[in-house]
Amino acid sequence: MEYRELLAAIGRMTGLDAGPARAAAEATLTTLARTLEDEDRQQLIEALPPELTDDFPLDHPRNDGTEEGFVRQAALLGRRPPEQARLRAQAVLAAVAEQDPELVARLHIPEQVRGLFRPPESGGGITGPKGHSAPLTAEEIRSALRALPQWSGDRHALRRVVSLPEENLRAIRHALEKLKLTYGRAPHLEDAADGLEIVVRTTSADAVTALDVELANRVDEVIEEMGAGIGGPS
């Protein structure tokens, strides 16, 4: 498999840039390796680009061979909520099957896990029929919010309010505005009566997409890294 082609295929199905696409590939393929018996695992490792086999030990802990267990382990390795991990895993595994279908056919992959090799559907919050980010469903929003306890919202936008002294809010505002340069996307920031309101949404889709859930997670990471106390959801 070609490293750049694999990342490009993942990016085509998810809208992810090269860095996040690589992270998704590493987490998913490590989980796949841990699902296989020794001989099959070795075949997989030999077929994969070496850039994707260095960060995690591939032989432990073993996966239980179920779809739920696969997604749970991929979510832990990739530090993503389960709903994101599932969609990313589908894209990665579909990209592998696209590049090397004979390998996928040859490996003894548990039947439940084989179901994850189907590409994510356009309505699943990855991409729409025209290649743009697709809106998440109401159920996907509810699932995402369960993993984002500081956030509230609906299919149109996700919101988080930070209540801190003005000097702390200025520092947070500056750090979040810099995400446009370091991450490629930044939230919309609004002054609120009780602090700073942070809003994420995809303007082109006029809705919340998987990319917004990912951005909300990145916002949480930035605020946590700053050691800021936070307010609850609006």
Side-chain angles (χ1 to χ4, degrees):
M1 277 174 272
E2 293 293 331
Y3 175 65
R4 293 183 184 278
E5 290 182 14
L6 189 64
L7 294 193
I10 296 167
R12 185 182 72 244
M13 286 184 270
T14 61
L16 295 173
D17 293 333
R22 172 178 174 150
E26 289 175 337
T28 300
L29 295 173
T30 297
T31 302
L32 179 59
R34 293 176 178 181
T35 305
L36 302 173
E37 297 297 335
D38 293 345
E39 184 176 339
D40 283 345
R41 183 186 308 119
Q42 191 58 41
Q43 286 190 60
L44 175 67
I45 293 170
E46 290 174 356
L48 290 175
E51 294 92 336
L52 299 177
T53 59
D54 294 337
D55 283 359
F56 299 114
L58 301 181
D59 56 350
H60 66 282
R62 287 296 304 278
N63 185 271
D64 64 5
T66 67
E67 181 176 321
E68 181 182 5
F70 191 102
V71 171
R72 183 169 58 247
Q73 190 169 92
L76 287 171
L77 290 173
R79 300 180 64 189
R80 297 289 94 188
E83 69 278 358
Q84 279 192 42
R86 179 184 298 276
L87 293 169
R88 290 183 177 202
Q90 284 184 265
V92 172
L93 297 176
V96 169
E98 200 176 85
Q99 283 212 14
D100 197 341
E102 292 182 2
L103 172 70
V104 173
R106 192 165 61 246
L107 297 177
H108 297 87
I109 299 168
E111 197 59 36
Q112 285 196 43
V113 175
R114 279 198 180 272
L116 292 171
F117 281 77
R118 292 189 296 271
E121 297 178 2
S122 63
I126 295 287
T127 55
K130 296 183 180 180
H132 301 297
S133 296
L136 293 177
T137 66
E139 177 55 38
E140 287 169 335
I141 293 292
R142 287 192 290 270
S143 178
L145 287 173
R146 286 195 288 270
L148 292 166
Q150 303 297 335
W151 295 77
S152 64
D154 52 30
R155 296 187 67 191
H156 299 290
L158 300 182
R159 296 177 172 83
R160 174 179 175 176
V161 173
V162 180
S163 300
L164 289 170
E166 184 58 36
E167 60 271 21
N168 299 77
L169 291 180
R170 281 197 297 269
I172 288 176
R173 179 187 287 271
H174 179 66
L176 294 178
E177 288 172 344
K178 285 175 61 179
L179 281 176
K180 184 68 175 179
L181 296 175
T182 61
Y183 185 66
R185 303 185 77 224
H188 182 65
L189 306 177
E190 301 176 356
D191 292 323
D194 50 353
L196 179 69
E197 184 175 44
I198 305 166
V199 182
V200 296
R201 65 190 301 273
T202 298
T203 303
S204 61
D206 191 27
V208 174
T209 70
L211 297 178
D212 299 310
V213 176
E214 183 173 337
L215 179 57
N217 276 285
R218 183 64 189 128
V219 167
D220 285 351
E221 290 171 2
V222 169
I223 293 175
E224 183 178 354
E225 287 165 5
M226 296 181 68
I230 55 175
S234 62

